[in-house]
Amino acid sequence: QMLTYGINEAGKMALLAWEKETGIKLVQINGQRLYGGPPPGWQGGPPPAGTEVYIARLPQDIYENTLIPLFQSVGTLYEFRLMMTFSGFNRGFAYARYASLQDAQRAIATFHRFQLRQGCALLVCWSTQKHELVLSSLPALLSRQELEARLQMVTEGICSVTLHASPCQRQARLAVLKYRSHKAAALAKKALMEGNLRLGKEGMKVDWLDPKLKKKLQPCEEEPSSSWVQGGKSLAVPMPVAVPPSLQNVLACLNMVCWKHGLRTPQFITKCVQVNRNGWQKFWYQVVIPGYHVPISGFTWVSPDRQGQSKQKATVVAALHFLQVLGESLHSQLPAF
């Protein structure tokens, strides 16, 4: 059968016909296609925690017109999430959240090892509600405030960030990121793996936090990595502590640092150079500060923003980048002891 834009044309037409017939609207965002959350006609709050099941080993050309009626046959679906590729196929797994624990148990009992097709037995089990990620290969001088601020630009639902000395790499750090839900953590993991955040010269790595690794980690004492004393004078490079940082706060911070070190008002250039299928915008930015020897430039991905503040977010990242570079420059000028 003919493939159109990576998706089986017959399967695509069947899905569209099913949506029209049922009135169901599917929303695709951040690499997944969503039904419900809540579904049409739902009354009251969301179901309790622990009612989501994980579905794997799906044929890649199976879609919601087959899956939703199948999994609705054993209970009330509150939400169904099918993970999608850019080419239009599913990624082989999905999540179904039920209205009750009993419905979820029935789904597992009914559909685990269910032959969806000849030779295609599904894997259906309880969804593991992981909330924590680990970022490794981070720069040794990276502060928690800067990391937290940058994460707010490209992920949502973050609750806490803690920095730790890397047990595997000298002069490097890793960070534990805790999110408010498994869904938020999974979306953050996907965004970070796609390179929407870059820190330092080495490529950072992101993964789910292993409980065994968690037991070994010791929190880093926040060194005054952005503040050094030379000749009785503080060379502090203050970092914004509010999360998410506002453009006004970050610019005020940068202007104060420039004034302290005899630099003039910074000038920003930002330009959107790419937009991916999920709405993420890739910005090129440059910071030019009269009196500083070189301009600072780079790229950053900015999350979709309905309020039209993507350019402001890119400017915040540019300002934070310059603060980091200035701090490292000052640190390198200090005498060794």
Side-chain angles (χ1 to χ4, degrees), residues 281 283 302-303 305-315:
Q281 299 180 46
F283 275 85
V302 175
S303 59
D305 191 338
R306 296 179 181 177
Q307 298 177 349
Q309 296 179 341
S310 299
K311 189 172 183 178
Q312 291 188 10
K313 289 182 179 180
T315 304

Side-chain angles (χ1 to χ4, degrees), residues 230-248:
Q230 182 179 28
K233 296 182 179 180
S234 171
L235 301 181
V237 181
M239 299 297 295
V241 295
V243 176
S246 70
L247 178 61
Q248 292 77 13

Side-chain angles (χ1 to χ4, degrees), residues 7-297:
I7 185 171
N8 182 289
E9 183 66 15
K12 178 181 178 181
M13 297 304 296
L15 177 63
L16 293 174
W18 175 78
E19 287 185 84
K20 185 176 180 180
E21 179 184 350
T22 61
I24 287 175
K25 293 183 179 180
L26 303 174
V27 179
Q28 185 161 339
I29 185 171
N30 293 332
Q32 63 180 342
R33 203 154 56 201
L34 174 67
Y35 159 78
W42 181 269
Q43 295 182 351
T51 60
E52 186 175 79
V53 300
Y54 171 69
I55 306 156
R57 300 177 186 167
L58 292 170
Q60 285 193 282
D61 59 347
I62 290 289
Y63 303 104
E64 291 87 346
N65 56 314
T66 298
L67 296 172
I68 289 178
L70 180 68
F71 283 89
Q72 275 181 331
S73 67
V74 296
T76 303
L77 274 180
Y78 175 78
E79 182 181 82
F80 190 89
R81 295 184 287 127
L82 182 62
M83 304 299 113
M84 301 296 296
T85 68
F86 286 145
S87 60
F89 290 107
N90 77 62
R91 293 168 60 196
F93 66 99
Y95 296 90
R97 188 177 179 187
Y98 284 91
S100 68
L101 183 63
Q102 292 75 18
D103 286 348
Q105 288 174 326
R106 195 178 302 115
I108 293 173
T110 304
F111 296 121
H112 182 53
R113 298 180 180 173
F114 176 79
Q115 291 281 338
L116 189 60
R117 285 180 180 170
Q118 184 66 32
C120 177
L122 297 180
L123 184 155
V124 182
C125 60
W126 293 109
S127 174
T128 303
Q129 296 294 304
K130 298 179 180 178
H131 290 213
E132 293 179 304
L133 302 176
V134 59
L135 284 183
S136 55
S137 300
L138 297 177
L141 293 177
L142 180 68
S143 71
R144 182 188 62 80
Q145 290 93 340
E146 180 182 359
L147 176 59
E148 197 167 4
R150 292 197 178 206
L151 286 167
Q152 286 288 338
M153 298 296 167
V154 297
T155 71
E156 296 181 357
I158 193 164
C159 297
S160 65
V161 176
T162 55
L163 282 175
H164 307 265
S166 173
C168 305
Q169 297 174 285
R170 296 184 63 185
Q171 302 299 318
R173 288 185 173 185
L174 58 80
V176 173
L177 320 177
K178 186 173 182 180
Y179 285 82
R180 66 177 175 228
S181 66
H182 172 71
K183 180 179 177 181
L187 291 175
K189 181 174 181 288
K190 180 177 182 296
L192 296 171
M193 288 180 69
E194 290 177 347
N196 294 330
L197 177 71
R198 295 188 64 84
L199 294 163
K201 297 179 181 179
E202 299 291 331
M204 67 177 189
K205 300 176 182 178
V206 57
D207 207 342
W208 294 109
L209 178 61
D210 188 328
K212 294 181 181 178
L213 174 63
K214 187 176 181 179
K215 291 181 180 179
K216 299 178 182 179
L217 296 178
Q218 296 293 330
C220 279
E221 293 185 7
E222 278 288 341
E223 302 171 4
S225 56
S226 296
S227 177
W228 302 275
V229 177
Q230 182 179 28
K233 296 182 179 180
S234 171
L235 301 181
V237 181
M239 299 297 295
V241 295
V243 176
S246 70
L247 178 61
Q248 292 77 13
N249 289 344
V250 174
L251 291 183
C253 173
L254 180 56
N255 287 335
M256 181 177 66
V257 172
C258 291
W259 176 78
K260 282 188 175 182
H261 298 286
L263 303 174
R264 296 171 64 184
T265 303
Q267 300 172 2
F268 294 89
I269 305 171
T270 59
K271 182 178 181 181
C272 181
V273 295
Q274 183 181 347
V275 180
N276 71 16
R277 296 191 182 185
N278 290 329
W280 288 81
Q281 299 180 46
K282 185 176 184 179
F283 275 85
W284 172 83
Y285 61 81
Q286 187 174 74
V287 188
V288 178
I289 300 184
Y292 194 73
H293 56 287
V294 292
I296 304 300
S297 60

